[in-house]
Amino acid sequence: TPHPHPLIIPHHPPMRSTSVAAAVLLLLVVAASMQPALVAAVSITSFGAVAGDPSNEAAHANVEAITKAFAAANAASKASERVVLVPAGRDFTFFNVTLRNLKDVKLQVDGRLLISNNVSAANWPQNTDYGALQFEDCDGLEFTGAGEINGQGYNFWWHVILTTQDYRPHMFKIIRSRNIHVHHAVYKDSPQYHLNFYDALNVQINDVQIIVNVTEQKSLLRRHGKMHPKTDVPVFPLNTDGIDLAARNVTVERVYIANFDDAVAVKPLSGNNVLSQCSQDMVIRDSQSRFSVGMTIGSVPPDVGVNCIKNVVFQNIFMLEPYKAVYIKTNPGDTGSGIIQNILYENLTAVDSLWYPIWIGPQQQHQPGTPGNGCYFEYPIIPICPTEPRILITDIVLKDMTFTGGLTLPGVLLCNATRPCTNFDFRNVQNNGEFLVQKDYVCQNVQGTTENSSPAPQCF
């Protein structure tokens, strides 16, 4: 998939010549200044990394090499040596690596890092919340390069569908870390989330591509009856989120995500966390997605520490064939509380929405043919979708939005009768399509205003 934001090379007018010698000298100086600085990077091959070998033995050797390379970079005195290099033109298979207490270290992937696709339980931790590349308690991380990190997710997806045993790694998991910059690389087919930040501070992500083989995922789900027979919507989400952010002070810009799950998902933090007690102060802008399940807030369950998301802006977003575009979701719980506050979606365009252009309400968790009383995937055709009174949703603005080609209905705005959503504002929200289920919103227990919007939510 081509990068949606190609590099623009500025045009310079011809130099006015004074003498041939001076011109040649100037050209030489300019050419030298444009060459990349030689970096005394720490190559993983210096520590025994094995290229081009997918065996378990090679994957374990590469875990050791990656670990030692980061230790060497972290101990280096020169900034130029605090770079771990995956050299170009070579593939390195690895199992999961956990790295802690790094300071101002850069990972430069110019070749390919491949997560091992040997799904045997003996090779992996037996839980679902760890990273193939996991970083804990770090300050100053940079991930970049001209290469690719490939999760080889197909075998993991097949295994979890077939066996329901789920111990898939995220591609990156960054925990209790600050001052992180992710840029200019390609991330493909993660077994689970691609970039997962939890309790992070000061994060910048720009000019990256996150790509899942959506055709392969849909084929796999369909073969095992995990696509809804009428809507062709997945009822067994594989959780291949693009970017998950439980963090404070974040900028995401110029990213392209095609992933069959949440493109960017802002997840909550609470009083139980260290670097921030609320997931807040974020801008996600100038980006594109395809086949995603939303520019998402949540899901947010109640928590005794008060789960919190606030002050988030999604701006200048183009979404092609999203399952959901604007997506704000709660989860049920019996204790604690939570808040979703001050969320702005501005200048978002979604073309040919496959399910709901807008969904604000409970996460749909009830799979067809299974017991339970959660929110049905077929809502509102099956009108069962319990709301969550412990989560306050307030100060939600949708401004200058265009949705075209919607199939089912304009959207769902579904809040709790005892704790309604408040201060919603729809300004110039144009929502058009066939809308085969109904022509207007499902809109319950929402207080708000609307201006120049079609259709207008009828319960505001």
Side-chain angles (χ1 to χ4, degrees):
T1 304
H3 197 285
H5 303 281
L7 178 66
I8 299 173
I9 301 175
H11 171 74
H12 297 282
M15 181 176 60
R16 192 173 296 173
S17 176
T18 55
S19 72
V20 173
V24 169
L25 179 60
L26 182 57
L27 284 171
L28 289 172
V29 171
V30 171
S33 69
M34 293 177 64
Q35 297 302 310
L38 294 177
V39 177
V42 179
S43 174
I44 61 173
T45 58
S46 299
F47 296 91
V50 180
D53 184 350
S55 69
N56 281 10
E57 293 75 17
H60 285 299
N62 290 339
V63 166
E64 185 174 354
I66 292 168
T67 303
K68 289 180 176 178
F70 270 100
N74 199 45
S77 57
K78 296 181 180 178
S80 62
E81 296 173 349
R82 302 180 71 84
V83 180
V84 174
L85 176 66
V86 178
R90 290 187 258 181
D91 295 350
F92 299 89
T93 301
F94 69 104
F95 292 117
N96 59 295
V97 182
T98 298
L99 302 151
R100 298 181 176 92
N101 301 309
L102 302 177
K103 171 70 173 175
D104 297 330
V105 173
K106 175 179 177 180
L107 172 62
Q108 180 154 335
V109 180
D110 289 337
R112 288 206 311 167
L113 279 177
L114 307 176
I115 298 174
S116 173
N117 60 5
N118 185 333
V119 298
S120 171
N123 296 319
W124 304 100
Q126 295 302 291
N127 68 78
T128 60
D129 196 18
Y130 67 98
L133 288 164
Q134 181 156 311
F135 298 83
E136 301 177 6
D137 302 302
C138 298
D139 184 355
L141 295 173
E142 183 179 358
F143 306 136
T144 188
E148 173 186 309
I149 300 95
N150 194 308
Q152 301 195 108
Y154 183 86
N155 281 18
F156 289 94
W157 308 330
W158 172 86
H159 182 265
V160 73
I161 289 172
L162 220 58
T163 69
T164 70
Q165 297 174 3
D166 194 358
Y167 41 81
R168 295 171 294 154
H170 307 300
M171 183 174 283
F172 280 80
K173 176 85 175 181
I174 298 98
I175 304 171
R176 292 183 308 275
S177 296
R178 65 181 75 208
N179 303 319
I180 304 155
H181 188 193
V182 182
H183 61 103
H184 295 97
V186 178
Y187 305 87
K188 287 186 177 179
D189 289 333
S190 177
Q192 208 173 181
Y193 303 165
H194 288 76
L195 301 176
N196 185 8
F197 297 83
Y198 183 73
D199 201 4
L201 175 65
N202 303 333
V203 179
Q204 181 178 348
I205 304 170
N206 60 273
D207 302 286
V208 302
Q209 298 181 64
I210 297 173
I211 301 168
V212 168
N213 190 327
V214 172
T215 302
E216 203 169 61
Q217 263 200 11
K218 288 180 72 173
S219 175
L220 182 63
L221 290 165
R222 194 173 286 115
R223 284 203 309 273
H224 294 279
K226 303 301 183 181
M227 296 289 286
H228 194 282
K230 294 181 179 179
T231 62
D232 204 37
V233 167
V235 296
F236 190 96
L238 289 167
N239 298 319
T240 50
D241 291 11
I243 303 170
D244 273 34
L245 297 164
R248 178 162 61 93
N249 191 21
V250 177
T251 300
V252 178
E253 56 190 350
R254 300 185 304 277
V255 300
Y256 174 79
I257 301 172
N259 70 319
F260 217 31
D261 217 303
D262 296 337
V264 178
V266 179
K267 299 291 181 68
L269 292 171
S270 73
N272 304 317
N273 295 111
V274 176
L275 296 182
S276 181
Q277 286 68 57
C278 185
S279 211
Q280 66 181 84
D281 306 332
M282 303 190 193
V283 177
I284 298 97
R285 63 190 175 202
D286 303 329
S287 296
Q288 302 181 24
S289 74
R290 189 176 187 191
F291 297 127
S292 78
V293 190
M295 294 290 171
T296 301
I297 299 293
S299 59
V300 180
D303 186 89
V304 292
V306 187
N307 267 335
C308 174
I309 298 175
K310 64 182 181 182
N311 305 339
V312 180
V313 174
F314 295 92
Q315 190 175 58
N316 304 331
I317 306 293
F318 178 79
M319 308 178 75
L320 180 61
E321 298 175 289
Y323 282 86
K324 293 171 180 166
V326 171
Y327 192 13
I328 299 176
K329 51 183 174 177
T330 62
N331 257 358
D334 297 325
T335 58
S337 62
I339 183 169
I340 300 170
Q341 182 178 25
N342 195 23
I343 312 299
L344 169 64
Y345 291 86
E346 182 177 22
N347 193 26
L348 182 149
T349 298
V351 176
D352 296 338
S353 296
L354 300 171
W355 202 3
Y356 309 91
I358 301 171
W359 179 285
I360 301 176
Q363 180 173 214
Q364 291 167 286
Q365 294 181 310
H366 189 280
Q367 299 180 20
T370 63
N373 59 355
C375 184
Y376 272 66
F377 277 84
E378 299 95 330
Y379 187 84
I381 298 171
I382 297 177
I384 299 175
C385 191
T387 55
E388 177 47 65
R390 295 177 178 274
I391 307 298
L392 173 64
I393 305 176
T394 187
D395 304 321
I396 310 298
V397 177
L398 275 62
K399 179 182 178 184
D400 298 331
M401 314 281 281
T402 303
F403 304 92
T404 59
L407 288 177
T408 57
L409 68 159
V412 171
L413 311 172
L414 188 59
C415 299
N416 188 268
T418 61
R419 197 168 197 180
C421 295
T422 59
N423 202 22
F424 276 41
D425 187 0
F426 278 35
R427 302 181 213 167
N428 190 29
V429 178
Q430 307 302 319
N431 199 337
N432 302 300
E434 291 185 73
F435 299 146
L436 301 175
V437 175
Q438 65 182 62
K439 303 300 182 184
D440 53 6
Y441 293 94
V442 171
C443 190
Q444 298 178 18
N445 306 313
V446 181
Q447 301 168 5
T449 59
T450 181
E451 178 183 342
N452 190 33
S453 297
S454 177
Q458 65 274 25
C459 71
F460 281 17

